[in-house]
Amino acid sequence: MSMTIAPATDQLEPADIRGRVAELHEIRAAAERGPSTKATEAQHAKGKLTARERIELLFDPGSFSEVEQLRRHRATGFGLEAKKPYTDGVITGWGTVEGRTVFVYAHDFRIFGGALGEAHAEKIHKIMDMALSAGAPLVSLNDGAGARIQEGVSALAGYGGIFQRNTKASGVIPQISVMLGPCAGGAAYSPALTDFVFMVRDTSQMFITGPDVVKAVTGEEITQNGLGGADVHAQTSGVAHFAYDDEETCIAEVRYLLSMLPQNNRENPPKAPTADPVDRRSDVLLDLVPVDGNRPYDMAKVIEELVDDGEYLEVHEQWARNIICALARVGGEVVGIVANQPQSLAGVLDIEASEKAARFVQLCDAFNIPLVTLLDVPGFLPGVDQEHGGIIRHGAKLLYAYCNATVPRISLILRKAYGGAYIVMDSQSIGADLTYAWPTNEIAVMGAEGAANVIFRRQIAEAEDPEAMRARMVKEYKTELMHPYYAAERGLVDDVIDPAETRAVLVRSLAMLHAKHADLPSRKHGNPPQ
């Protein structure tokens, strides 16, 4: 690969300022062109954009300011002294997204395969420090081949500096990782430390050990995409929050996500005007959710009826589909929505759903995003695999996240809310500010059938007609303990509301809670279940 090398500064002849300025423009133009036309064509042939093309898509036109464009490495040996391209394979700087400042670093795969060396890492460290100091989001456009082997341990130390800064910035500024090429080995831990991971199908992969190592150690044969492609991480591992077919769509969605996040943890999310009436009735909800708790329905359609213009951004859409986590606006205000999905596993909580929702609740709490929880949950998923996999430990993550959250919290019980899952899903007893229910709600320790079998076991067994007795006892239990106003009568639900008026109720409640302030006990940090 040929590299453009500018003349050393000690070889420059004295000249007037115009000559020096002309020379500066030539050097900058060379740095912006990159190493060669051939390298650019090779990048495009893989279905990938160049780093600068990606930056143009991310930022508002003409807003990008580059930092350390003329940086070059100082390494020697293995031929490196003859290859000293400007930027050293990473472009860093800041720009605006819908008028708000955002910082970025973008690997340039055309230079050293985007591999990280000492100078490359120092550029990233600097822009991360700038983002934290300025209190603005950081986006990383990842397309690199890992550590620059020729620079040895210096490259590895560079990754350590990135990880340390990822951790320091966690919960302070939004951090978004966009995977647009390979990301292997230790490099994959930086995206894992950030708030959101975007991937592009076929062109981006993430794994700790590649297919060759896997085959050598375990004998398993697998492709790069099969091991760590976008769909694998979006559907199976849960590493990726979003997966798209092309870079243009992916980066457009990054912009959309940024429009719903605050600049930092000291600000509220940006409010947006809406033409959707705040008091709009949704009579369709009266028919959308069946009264029969055993009949499934699509919770996504409920969300569409409640949020502004039916628009929302679902996080981890393809992973743990029995729970929905989404960002949306209600009355122009950004909210985080956590909702059971009866279409998948009847909406039960399991290990993956608990982990997914817990991290989302923590994210919303960190960045001052109010939480709206929609309950229709029959309980935790029973089974040996769940118990041995640590459902107690993982379910406790969601419980901890809600209990620790100080943002406005509103819960709405649509139908079933049984057992420990009811408590965990932001019930009033763990600190929800307001709890509403529809007239179809059933709040209980367990379903009526199961409860009757336990409480009236002897009567049913001794009856001449056990099934008739069971049916009678089930009806009695429902009448006494599961009628829709039982919880409201005991102050565990603030109000039972008309489903069609839910949007208006949420808007009024969020407005009232807008200035909520809550303090946690003084501590270094908690010790959440792992």
Side-chain angles (χ1 to χ4, degrees):
M1 181 185 296
S2 62
M3 299 285 181
T4 302
I5 303 176
T9 52
D10 59 3
Q11 295 177 340
L12 295 174
E13 295 294 332
D16 61 20
I17 185 64
R18 288 178 177 79
R20 291 294 177 92
V21 169
E23 180 183 56
L24 170 64
H25 288 310
E26 290 177 5
I27 293 174
R28 283 186 171 175
E32 290 175 3
R33 283 195 304 271
S36 68
T37 302
K38 184 178 179 181
T40 300
E41 290 173 349
Q43 181 80 346
H44 288 163
K46 297 174 184 174
K48 301 197 294 183
L49 300 175
T50 66
R52 294 190 184 279
E53 289 169 340
R54 292 162 175 165
I55 288 172
E56 286 180 8
L57 289 174
L58 177 64
F59 290 119
D60 299 335
S63 69
F64 179 62
S65 296
E66 190 167 352
V67 175
E68 294 195 351
Q69 183 186 65
L70 306 184
R71 186 71 180 263
R72 301 159 81 183
H73 73 77
R74 296 173 293 181
T76 59
F78 306 101
L80 285 178
E81 62 273 9
K83 298 178 180 179
K84 289 189 165 186
Y86 288 118
T87 75
D88 199 46
V90 64
I91 300 167
T92 59
W94 77 88
T96 61
V97 174
E98 297 190 5
R100 299 191 303 155
T101 300
V102 174
F103 287 79
V104 70
Y105 67 86
H107 299 126
D108 191 340
F109 195 83
R110 300 172 301 167
I111 297 175
F112 298 128
L116 182 138
E118 184 179 20
H120 183 120
E122 288 175 352
K123 287 183 65 175
I124 294 175
H125 296 167
K126 181 172 183 175
I127 209 66
M128 294 179 79
D129 290 340
M130 289 176 68
L132 191 58
S133 296
L138 174 71
V139 177
S140 61
L141 302 177
N142 297 270
D143 187 8
R148 198 174 299 172
I149 299 173
Q150 299 95 319
E151 295 194 31
V153 72
S154 297
L156 291 178
Y159 276 122
I162 293 173
F163 303 157
Q164 184 186 50
R165 287 167 173 83
N166 284 138
T167 304
K168 186 177 179 182
S170 181
V172 181
I173 58 172
Q175 299 180 84
I176 300 174
S177 298
V178 189
M179 315 312 296
L180 302 166
C183 185
Y189 283 113
S190 176
L193 289 168
T194 61
D195 299 305
F196 297 98
V197 176
F198 287 72
M199 294 188 74
V200 176
R201 293 184 178 92
D202 298 328
T203 57
S204 64
Q205 302 88 28
M206 296 173 67
F207 37 70
I208 299 300
T209 54
D212 292 341
V213 176
V214 169
K215 182 179 179 181
V217 174
T218 71
E220 299 169 289
E221 292 192 19
I222 193 167
T223 64
Q224 287 194 348
N225 280 320
L227 182 63
D231 286 328
V232 168
H233 287 311
Q235 298 172 15
T236 306
S237 72
V239 170
H241 300 78
F242 306 96
Y244 299 99
D245 290 332
D246 57 79
E247 293 190 17
E248 291 84 355
T249 303
C250 180
I251 295 174
E253 290 299 297
V254 172
R255 285 178 57 90
Y256 181 46
L257 172 60
L258 285 166
S259 75
M260 304 185 79
L261 299 175
Q263 291 292 89
N264 54 63
N265 65 343
R266 299 183 302 278
E267 297 183 6
N268 290 324
K271 186 171 182 178
T274 178
D276 194 348
V278 295
D279 58 352
R280 169 175 53 81
R281 281 182 61 86
S282 299
D283 290 306
V284 68
L285 292 174
L286 299 172
D287 301 312
L288 185 58
V289 179
V291 175
D292 182 357
N294 294 319
R295 289 180 57 194
Y297 62 93
D298 188 357
M299 182 66 82
K301 293 182 179 179
V302 175
I303 295 172
E304 288 174 9
E305 286 296 315
L306 300 179
V307 302
D308 293 352
D309 304 309
E311 294 182 359
Y312 62 93
L313 179 64
E314 187 169 350
V315 179
H316 268 144
E317 180 180 2
Q318 300 177 61
W319 181 61
R321 302 186 76 156
N322 43 320
I323 200 160
I324 295 173
C325 297
L327 293 170
R329 283 189 169 89
V330 176
E333 300 284 357
V334 176
V335 299
I337 297 173
V338 180
N340 307 111
Q341 174 55 290
Q343 276 196 335
S344 178
L345 294 176
V348 298
L349 288 178
D350 62 1
I351 288 172
E352 291 185 348
S354 299
E355 288 189 333
K356 171 180 170 178
R359 186 117 197 282
F360 183 74
V361 168
Q362 289 175 170
L363 171 98
C364 291
D365 187 50
F367 293 113
N368 309 313
I369 300 172
L371 286 161
V372 175
T373 305
L374 306 179
L375 284 86
D376 191 346
V377 59
F380 282 94
L381 181 64
V384 175
D385 288 346
Q386 289 291 307
E387 296 294 346
H388 288 186
I391 185 63
I392 297 172
R393 175 168 51 89
H394 294 287
K397 294 178 183 178
L398 180 55
L399 178 60
Y400 187 99
Y402 269 125
C403 290
N404 204 48
T406 60
V407 292
R409 291 156 52 187
I410 301 170
S411 64
L412 172 66
I413 301 158
L414 282 65
R415 276 194 326 190
K416 304 181 301 297
Y418 295 162
Y422 153 63
I423 300 296
V424 167
M425 289 288 291
D426 206 19
S427 63
Q428 190 180 95
S429 61
I430 65 168
D433 296 295
L434 289 167
T435 304
Y436 298 109
W438 285 359
T440 47
N441 81 82
E442 292 183 354
I443 307 173
V445 175
M446 64 177 68
E449 288 78 8
N453 286 336
V454 173
I455 297 173
F456 307 111
R457 180 173 60 247
R458 180 176 298 175
Q459 293 94 317
I460 292 171
E462 295 174 352
E464 292 183 6
D465 186 346
E467 288 306 315
M469 176 63 76
R470 179 181 288 107
R472 198 180 89 183
M473 293 297 100
V474 166
K475 184 177 180 179
E476 181 178 325
Y477 184 84
K478 283 186 175 182
T479 301
E480 291 293 324
L481 297 177
M482 292 181 66
H483 65 79
Y485 307 103
Y486 184 85
E489 290 171 357
R490 284 151 183 79
L492 298 174
V493 167
D494 292 297
D495 199 7
V496 179
I497 63 173
D498 178 350
E501 297 176 354
T502 302
R503 173 175 165 81
V505 170
L506 289 177
V507 171
R508 289 196 302 268
S509 301
L510 288 166
M512 181 275 291
L513 291 167
H514 182 74
K516 175 188 173 182
H517 177 76
D519 289 320
L520 293 172
S522 178
R523 59 186 175 186
K524 187 175 182 180
H525 56 74
N527 186 25
Q530 298 296 324

